[in-house]
Amino acid sequence: MKFINIGFGNIVNVGKIVSVVSPESAPIKRIVQMSKAASTLIDATFGRKCKAVIITDSDYIVLSALTTETIAARIEEAVHEE
């Protein structure tokens, strides 16, 4: 099981990540709002601006203040360590 740091000491299981997307588009904003209503939203931004939305295979949505590129690089690094 591999984990990556998504900022401020928060970690996510790499094996559970389906997608890392930018929060700017309307469909992603709708997904975030629906997740918030369903209590499956995890806000790991610590009050900062959300720059990445992580979608997991268990229907949890995680918000991060790190950029999508930074998270993608950390995922690649974790995958290549195996």
Side-chain angles (χ1 to χ4, degrees):
M1 200 178 321
K2 295 284 184 177
F3 292 93
I4 60 163
N5 184 335
I6 59 163
F8 308 108
N10 299 299
I11 59 174
V12 173
N13 184 347
V14 173
K16 296 286 184 179
I17 296 174
V18 174
S19 180
V20 180
V21 294
S22 172
E24 303 301 319
S25 72
I28 299 303
K29 288 179 182 179
R30 271 195 303 277
I31 289 172
V32 169
Q33 289 302 316
M34 289 175 16
S35 177
K36 188 174 185 179
S39 298
T40 57
L41 180 70
I42 300 169
D43 188 349
T45 62
F46 278 71
R48 290 177 174 76
K49 182 179 180 190
C50 176
K51 294 183 182 174
V53 177
I54 301 167
I55 301 171
T56 66
D57 63 358
S58 55
D59 292 330
Y60 278 91
I61 305 295
V62 183
L63 305 181
S64 175
L66 297 179
T67 64
T68 55
E69 292 83 8
T70 301
I71 294 173
R74 291 181 182 187
I75 291 171
E76 283 293 320
E77 183 179 308
V79 169
H80 283 84
E81 285 178 0
E82 292 180 357

